Amino acid sequence: MALGTLRTRKNFLFWRTISQLTFVNHIVTMTSPPYFEDKCNKIGAVVTRTGTESSRSPVVALLGWNSAQDKHLAKYSEIFEQKGFDTIRIPANPYNTFLRLNRVKEISLELLEILEEMNSNQNRPFILYAFSMGGFNVGHFITQAISIPGQRHFKSINIIGCIFDSCPHFPGWHSLKGVQSTILETIPNPLIKAAVWVGLGLVCPPVFLFSSELKQLIPDSISYPFGCPELFLFCSTDPLVPERDVWVFIEAHKKKGIKVFEKCWEVSGHVQHYRNYPEEYLSKVNTFTDYCMKQYFTSGISKL
């Protein structure tokens, strides 16, 4: 086990001990409802638990990139399982991400209901971990749902941090090649690939031009941040997400008083930073989650 992981685990055990002492009167036993597994299967979500169902351990929601395989997302889950966190991970569908935002919103709310059941009125801390625009879009609709007063899900879970790996970018005409490449990766037949390539070239431009929801996705995310600390992991050579788009997002949130951490590698690949720079990647993620947990427990103690 890496030294950084050992240190992080010690820090987490210390803060978890404090949380158990300070919040002991608020612990509620959580039992999984009979259809919990069905809800997870419906959207392809996989839940891992490191403790008992009555545990108040943190939960990390891993919002996967388009067509992500679970075996790859599971490697990120392991980072947090070693720290005693529970995780839930879900892949994204490229057709939904780029062409069917209404479906993305539906999936986001279904995932949010699962997170609420995992929370079970215990005020567990949650971290959203979004990969590429597939994960970013899901995270956007979750934070929007819990941020709007009067809505059903308003303040239903306590998000203490957001991690963005290889996102966000501003969708538009320049996104067409990336959309085509991402979707065609899921199609093995070369003849069908050619037909889909042409079809996307005809369908995507009107979507970019006329979809008000797509146009407002990034501006709304910039204008109405959730307010918790954020970590951005990206690179200068990403073929799908221009570095400048991420910096615009970062600077806008810094101006709004958001605590922002960032790491930009000069050479890496799209959603390949953990693979290419494992030690540095883990260090950034561990430092960020330690900071979020410390802020969470400090805030909880101050309210006693």
Side-chain angles (χ1 to χ4, degrees):
M1 188 181 295
L3 181 59
T5 302
L6 287 172
R7 288 175 176 170
T8 301
R9 182 168 178 78
K10 290 180 180 179
N11 289 337
F12 170 69
L13 291 175
F14 172 73
W15 290 113
R16 182 168 64 179
T17 300
I18 292 179
S19 74
Q20 290 172 341
L21 292 173
T22 56
F23 292 98
V24 66
N25 293 328
H26 303 286
I27 293 178
V28 179
T29 300
M30 183 180 74
T31 57
S32 293
Y35 300 110
F36 182 82
E37 187 174 344
D38 290 339
K39 288 184 177 180
C40 291
N41 290 337
K42 182 180 178 182
I43 59 174
V46 178
V47 175
T48 62
R49 298 184 189 274
T50 59
T52 64
E53 290 187 348
S54 62
S55 170
R56 296 189 67 256
S57 57
V59 180
V60 178
L62 296 149
L63 313 176
W65 58 93
N66 292 309
S67 303
Q69 296 183 41
D70 185 67
K71 65 180 181 180
H72 297 139
L73 285 175
K75 294 179 181 179
Y76 294 89
S77 286
E78 290 172 3
I79 298 173
F80 301 98
E81 290 166 29
Q82 292 178 6
K83 296 159 70 70
F85 292 25
D86 290 350
T87 70
I88 179 170
R89 52 186 186 265
I90 179 175
N93 183 304
Y95 292 97
N96 293 337
T97 298
F98 301 114
L99 303 175
R100 302 172 62 200
L101 275 184
N102 285 337
R103 179 53 186 154
V104 175
K105 186 173 183 178
E106 291 172 1
I107 293 172
S108 302
L109 295 180
E110 290 170 350
L111 175 59
L112 181 53
E113 290 180 358
I114 295 172
L115 298 180
E116 290 170 351
E117 291 183 15
M118 294 179 70
N119 188 41
S120 191
N121 298 318
Q122 296 180 86
N123 195 34
R124 301 175 75 181
F126 287 78
I127 293 176
L128 298 185
Y129 199 147
F131 297 89
S132 191
M133 289 306 292
F136 181 88
N137 290 0
V138 174
H140 167 76
F141 288 117
I142 288 177
T143 54
Q144 188 179 61
I146 65 177
S147 301
I148 301 175
Q151 298 297 310
R152 173 187 172 189
H153 300 283
F154 180 58
K155 291 187 176 180
S156 58
I157 62 173
N158 182 14
I159 298 178
I160 65 169
C162 292
I163 301 175
F164 302 98
D165 184 318
S166 304
C167 62
H169 83 87
F170 296 78
W173 293 91
H174 63 281
S175 308
L176 178 58
K177 186 175 180 179
V179 173
Q180 291 171 316
S181 299
T182 302
I183 292 179
L184 292 180
E185 287 178 358
T186 66
I187 303 173
N189 187 300
L191 293 178
I192 297 177
K193 273 189 176 183
V196 172
W197 178 276
V198 174
L200 289 172
L202 297 174
V203 172
C204 288
V207 173
F208 294 145
L209 188 61
F210 298 111
S211 174
S212 59
E213 196 165 33
L214 185 64
K215 287 181 178 180
Q216 285 301 118
L217 183 71
I218 297 300
D220 284 351
S221 297
I222 289 178
S223 300
Y224 307 103
F226 188 71
C228 62
E230 300 172 343
L231 169 63
F232 293 84
L233 304 163
F234 58 110
C235 75
S236 302
T237 55
D238 192 321
L240 300 179
V241 177
E243 174 190 1
R244 64 179 181 275
D245 285 7
V246 183
W247 280 118
V248 167
F249 201 91
I250 289 173
E251 294 304 322
H253 276 198
K254 283 183 176 180
K255 289 180 181 179
K256 289 185 174 292
I258 306 298
K259 179 67 175 179
V260 177
F261 299 74
E262 74 273 344
K263 174 58 184 179
C264 179
W265 286 276
E266 289 187 9
V267 180
S268 189
H270 187 67
V271 199
Q272 295 293 313
H273 317 312
Y274 186 21
R275 177 182 178 181
N276 293 331
Y277 307 95
E279 292 185 4
E280 192 171 13
Y281 192 97
L282 282 174
S283 176
K284 294 296 180 182
V285 171
N286 287 332
T287 298
F288 178 73
T289 51
D290 285 348
Y291 175 84
C292 293
M293 292 301 296
K294 184 175 181 178
Q295 293 295 110
Y296 167 71
F297 286 125
T298 302
S299 175
I301 293 171
S302 67
K303 293 178 182 177
L304 294 178

